Amino acid sequence: MAESVFCWEELPEEERFPRWRDMACDSHAPNEVDSEQAHDFRATLRVLGLGPVSVSALDCPPLRSDRTPRLIRQSDPELYNLTLTQRGSAGAVHADREIQLSAGDLMLSSTSLPLRTRMATDHPSVAMIDVLFPQTLLPLPRGAADRLLTLPFSGQTGLGVLLAEFLTRLTAESASYGPADAERLGAVTIDLAAAMLAHHLDDTTPPEAHPEALATRIRGFVRQNLRDPQLTPRQIAAAHHISLRTLHRVFQRQGATVTAWIRQQRLDGARRDLTNPALAARPIHAIATTWGFPRAADFTHLFRATYGMPPSEYRHTATPGGHEIRS
């Protein structure tokens, strides 16, 4: 996957802070950044590109950061930023709210609103992970996530700990993932973030009252079980303690049927595997079976109808060197 790395040890002292600040602003959004340690700034920054999702791991001395109205008018990428504080503490003012973050806390912010951050000086360095993604990518009701801006979420319990542990392992083990993994990991990141945020929007209202939040949880469940040949709408409904009628009604609001959405996700998974160099020797029919298409003829027909060419031709044109393993 695409990864950019900044390491202070490789630069002269006078270049460290401005170079780090420029990379941080490029990977996030323009901010006014300052630090009392700017003269000898010892910091690291790693940015992982996961399709439209960006995950940044930073370790730096305490600093001050301001995303001002002037900077927003000049440039607004319209992103949400979900921050996990791993070490140290910080205070932030955002969306007319003030928050104090300690190690293990999560916070959602928006590049479209002013944000003032002050890292506490009670620790020599602060470690954080930032997840930035387009606001339109979050599968929640329009504007709903804005109600959660600058509210503290625990990364040590419930869905928060699942997200925190995933982000920690993702950034620590990035070298073990390949280019073909990037978009999948980005999708998992969004699903986990959306599930946590949906839970905090209202965890007491019946799921029928929040179809978008329920649909987010269902999509995450389906993606985890796509390779299960027994995955059916009835199984999905039972796993979420809802009726089949409620399940179909939720997906109707999403503009698709449950069965059609599952089929498309499986086709997308098979398509990605067809272009994965590590699977170049695997026959097409084996890939199809893995993704829930036991009949090769049915898979070929669906693949051609969806992508405009049979899977063998797609693999041949999309694989470097045109390597092709026929079914």
Side-chain angles (χ1 to χ4, degrees):
M1 68 177 70
E3 180 173 358
S4 302
V5 179
F6 175 96
C7 185
W8 64 273
E9 296 171 323
E10 301 174 356
L11 295 170
E13 288 186 7
E14 66 275 10
E15 294 184 20
R16 292 171 187 169
F17 179 69
R19 292 276 292 274
W20 187 94
R21 179 187 58 201
D22 290 347
M23 181 175 173
C25 289
D26 287 343
S27 62
H28 291 62
N31 280 266
E32 296 178 355
V33 185
D34 192 16
S35 172
E36 294 181 358
Q37 303 296 321
H39 63 284
D40 184 16
F41 198 71
R42 304 187 178 195
T44 60
L45 175 61
R46 295 169 48 242
V47 182
L48 310 180
L50 309 178
V53 180
S54 172
V55 177
S56 302
L58 61 90
D59 191 324
C60 64
L63 54 77
R64 300 174 294 276
S65 176
D66 288 285
R67 179 146 174 81
T68 65
R70 177 182 61 83
L71 291 174
I72 294 172
R73 289 193 299 269
Q74 291 177 353
S75 172
D76 181 16
E78 298 184 351
L79 303 175
Y80 281 129
N81 183 7
L82 190 59
T83 300
L84 168 65
T85 303
Q86 295 180 295
R87 185 180 65 249
S89 59
V93 178
H94 185 59
D96 298 322
R97 301 190 187 107
E98 187 171 351
I99 184 176
Q100 294 295 320
L101 298 170
S102 300
D105 289 340
L106 290 147
M107 181 191 81
L108 182 71
S109 61
S110 167
T111 62
S112 302
L113 297 172
L115 171 63
R116 185 178 66 195
T117 304
R118 299 291 183 267
M119 295 181 181
T121 58
D122 56 356
H123 199 281
S125 65
V126 177
M128 293 182 170
I129 297 177
D130 288 326
V131 181
L132 289 104
F133 53 92
Q135 295 172 10
T136 55
L137 200 61
L138 192 63
L140 294 175
R142 183 176 179 83
D146 289 351
R147 302 203 300 269
L148 302 175
L149 295 176
T150 328
L151 296 180
F153 309 123
S154 174
Q156 301 179 32
T157 60
L159 291 167
V161 73
L162 291 178
L163 177 60
E165 289 180 352
F166 171 78
L167 293 176
T168 299
R169 294 198 62 177
L170 172 66
T171 53
E173 302 173 5
S174 59
S176 63
Y177 307 121
D181 299 317
E183 290 198 12
R184 302 171 196 168
L185 291 170
V188 172
T189 303
I190 290 295
D191 281 342
L192 286 173
M196 186 196 73
L197 295 172
H199 172 78
H200 286 283
L201 277 173
D202 190 347
D203 58 4
T204 61
T205 304
E208 292 87 345
H210 286 293
E212 293 86 356
L214 178 59
T216 297
R217 293 195 292 273
I218 291 173
R219 284 194 291 267
F221 175 83
V222 170
R223 287 194 176 104
Q224 291 177 356
N225 294 276
L226 277 175
R227 298 172 186 263
D228 182 359
Q230 304 303 317
L231 183 67
T232 64
R234 186 173 300 278
Q235 181 195 31
I236 296 169
H240 292 81
H241 309 291
I242 59 176
S243 66
L244 269 174
R245 182 178 180 182
T246 297
L247 176 67
H248 289 304
R249 187 163 60 245
V250 167
F251 268 81
Q252 283 172 0
R253 293 189 180 99
Q254 308 295 315
T257 67
V258 184
T259 301
W261 194 84
I262 293 174
R263 183 172 60 243
Q264 186 58 55
Q265 297 306 301
R266 284 173 163 166
L267 279 171
D268 287 345
R271 176 180 60 84
R272 289 191 298 267
D273 281 0
L274 287 172
T275 61
N276 187 345
L279 301 178
R282 181 170 296 179
I284 291 175
H285 72 82
I287 290 176
T289 300
T290 297
W291 287 100
F293 299 102
R295 292 173 55 88
D298 292 343
F299 173 69
T300 298
H301 175 76
L302 283 171
F303 195 97
R304 184 196 295 270
T306 304
Y307 302 112
M309 64 180 71
S312 57
E313 182 179 347
Y314 185 89
R315 167 180 266 183
H316 181 73
T317 57
T319 305
H323 183 69
E324 179 181 359
I325 302 295
R326 296 189 179 275
S327 58

